[in-house]
Amino acid sequence: AGDHQRRVLKDVFGFDDFRPGQAAVIEALLAGRHVLAVMPTGAGKSLCYQVPALVKGGLTIVVSPLVALMQDQVAALRLAGVAADTINSSLDRDANVAAWRRVASGQTRLLYLAPERLMTERMLEALSRLDVSLIAIDEAHCISQWGPAFRREYEDLSRLRGLFADVPIIALTATADEATRADIEARLFAGRAETLVLGFDRPNIKLAMETKQDSKRQLLRFVERHPGKSGIIYCLSRRKTEEMAAFLEKNGVRALPYHAGMSKEAREANQNAFMSLSGVVMVATIAFGMGIDKPDVAYVFHTDLPGSLEAYYQEIGRAGRDGRPAEAHMLYGAGDIRTRRMFIDDEDTSPEHKRRAHRRLDTLIGYCETAQCRRQVLLGYFGEEAQACGNCDNCLDQAPRADGSAEARTILAA
Ligand code: ADP
Ligand code: MG
Ligand code: ZN
């Protein structure tokens, strides 16, 4: 079986080796076990179900929250010669009918569906008559009410286990504190899944924090230290992305805004420019990034406090995927904490939900304010122990300097 997997990896995807974690996940699925795979962004989660889908034959159903992500994946698989399809609301009726014909006739190996489309009685009934061999649930944290990206349509997926009794299910996520993990397992697997958690460390990303004073000037100074590099700048509001992008442009930086309030065409044009050129700075809200896989992003700069430590981790994970030195830089000010607290209090949710959200925010603040190695704190949150990293502002501040300041301190103290 090991050989078969490697052949698929090489012949279909063109890769020589599995990345850490992939082989273990694939083995477990092929042995018929349910799996919860917690792996960082960029670790290669898609392959964890795409390879078994091809090894097993039959139909693999892939649940994914965003139509754009599904389209990308299907296009990429087809380029590799894999029979993949999606049925979704952005396709016209004829295209959906044609896709369903291929699925029903057994040609399709992977079928990508949004959760609400999969969980209709008609779709479930039709699928139950086919040879379903695997179900993959991507971005599985969306099922957790306590997670940062809860989606009501995901709740219904808990019925899958009962509906497809003998079919292994794999849930994949990069967002994984203990509570969210346990919640996913309880909802999808009644607690009976093999959980595989992979290393979260991204040692090439330098972590740093700066007190927020004049965000525009601070941002410009940072960007100017990375001339010609691609970077992502996250802002809290749509208006601010426009302002910041305009300000950078005025100062000679190639910068483009991205937010959900822009037309689809404008968003796509900016995203394409960012993806295909080097040296473009994307100034975006969190609407930008899911599924973005550009290897040479040199930095992620937060002008405002992110929503949670998980969100922060996911966002900075878009930097340095090529393994080269990259930076995660955040401006941090008391005003941001007040704004975030207000967001939580204004949300239309239960008191318990609010309590958890405040606690989540406290964790993030703890990370921002720590004098310890930031990587230790960050990884510790995901349940990993680490040595002081030497590549965060706190570690670097403590290192003896070559400029004689350590010596000066000794002399002055004496
Ligand atoms: P994730 O969903 O975990 O964020 P993806 O599945 O999108 O990650 O994969 C990220 C990138 O890693 C993709 O470009 C993919 O082709 C690449 N990749 C995945 N597995 C391997 C591998 N075994 N060897 C080389 N590249 C890989
Ligand atoms: Mg993914
Ligand atoms: Zn450190």
Side-chain angles (χ1 to χ4, degrees), residues 372-376 387-396:
Q372 255 180 278
C373 169
R374 287 199 203 278
R375 204 170 310 269
Q376 269 176 343
Q387 302 286 310
C389 75
N391 195 25
C392 72
D393 49 1
N394 289 342
C395 280
L396 292 165

Side-chain angles (χ1 to χ4, degrees), residues 310-381:
E310 281 109 333
Y312 170 77
Y313 178 82
Q314 285 222 9
E315 285 152 19
I316 67 169
R318 290 167 191 141
R321 291 206 183 179
D322 54 8
R324 304 174 76 99
E327 290 189 49
H329 199 92
M330 192 204 294
L331 299 183
Y332 174 65
D336 285 4
I337 303 174
R338 279 194 298 274
T339 308
R340 285 286 174 189
R341 293 245 183 258
M342 239 161 52
F343 278 5
I344 297 171
D345 289 332
D346 290 350
E347 253 182 286
D348 185 21
T349 51
S350 67
E352 170 63 10
H353 199 285
K354 284 184 183 163
R355 238 189 331 274
R356 289 197 185 230
H358 279 296
R359 224 181 299 147
R360 214 182 270 283
L361 180 57
D362 291 339
T363 307
L364 175 63
I365 295 168
Y367 170 79
C368 295
E369 306 231 324
T370 188
Q372 255 180 278
C373 169
R374 287 199 203 278
R375 204 170 310 269
Q376 269 176 343
V377 174
L378 186 60
L379 295 178
Y381 180 66

Side-chain angles (χ1 to χ4, degrees), residues 39-47 49 64 69 73 138-139 172-174 290-292 321:
M39 293 159 79
T41 305
K45 286 187 285 299
S46 321
L47 231 64
Y49 56 82
S64 172
L69 280 185
Q73 295 242 353
D138 206 359
E139 312 289 347
L172 307 111
T173 179
M290 221 205 253
I292 292 289
R321 291 206 183 179

Side-chain angles (χ1 to χ4, degrees), residues 17 36 77 98 115 130-131 142 163 191 196 203 212 222 224 262-263 278 308 346 358 372 401:
D17 291 298
L36 168 58
L77 284 168
L130 301 177
D131 174 25
C142 294
L163 291 167
L196 296 162
K212 191 191 270 198
F222 179 88
E224 284 179 340
M262 293 162 59
S263 73
S278 62
S308 65
D346 290 350
H358 279 296
Q372 255 180 278
R401 298 222 176 106

